[in-house]
Amino acid sequence: FDYFSSYQMIDSQGKKINLMSVRNFFNATTPGSYIKHENAHGISSHQVINEEDVGADWIIRKNEVPVDGYFLNKLNDKGLLTYLDFHFLFLLISTPKRYLEQFSMHLIA
């Protein structure tokens, strides 16, 4: 997560929180990704942002994936991803479809 995340937020208590854009998520989960991140700072080097910047328009525009109607762009509209978000999304994309269908039927019942 830290290798691919491009942002670090310092909250009101001074705690540093690494955050990932959807573009970072795409690169982390796609070997040989064709989407390069012009803002990639390298391992353990992040752009420091404020709490207000997490869902700011400039971050949303900067991190869109160049595919129309892509799920990650819809997710990008909500802001940056935390470590927990990364693991949840990674779990979803690595779970076979048949298990997701069973899970959703269980929730509806």
Side-chain angles (χ1 to χ4, degrees):
F1 180 82
D2 289 338
Y3 181 81
F4 287 97
S5 59
S6 292
Y7 300 97
Q8 187 173 73
M9 178 185 71
I10 301 174
D11 68 10
S12 56
Q13 286 83 31
K15 181 180 175 187
K16 295 179 180 180
I17 302 168
N18 290 343
L19 299 168
M20 174 181 278
S21 69
V22 295
R23 189 176 277 244
N24 297 145
F25 179 79
F26 183 87
N27 288 333
T29 58
T30 308
S33 172
Y34 66 92
I35 297 178
K36 300 298 176 213
H37 201 289
E38 59 275 357
N39 308 334
H41 301 285
I43 190 164
S44 298
S45 178
H46 306 92
Q47 179 178 350
V48 178
I49 60 171
N50 298 320
E51 287 185 68
E52 305 83 44
D53 293 330
V54 171
D57 289 338
W58 68 270
I59 285 189
I60 292 170
R61 284 190 309 274
K62 191 178 202 180
N63 291 299
E64 287 181 339
V65 178
V67 178
D68 290 335
Y70 196 47
F71 168 75
L72 288 180
N73 283 334
K74 293 177 185 176
L75 191 60
N76 184 48
D77 292 341
K78 305 297 181 193
L80 298 171
L81 305 174
T82 64
Y83 186 64
L84 183 63
D85 297 331
F86 171 80
H87 278 285
F88 178 74
L89 289 172
F90 192 73
L91 177 70
L92 282 180
I93 65 172
S94 62
T95 303
K97 187 177 178 179
R98 66 178 183 263
Y99 294 122
L100 291 176
E101 290 170 354
Q102 291 174 357
F103 180 71
S104 65
M105 289 188 341
H106 177 69
L107 287 177
I108 294 171

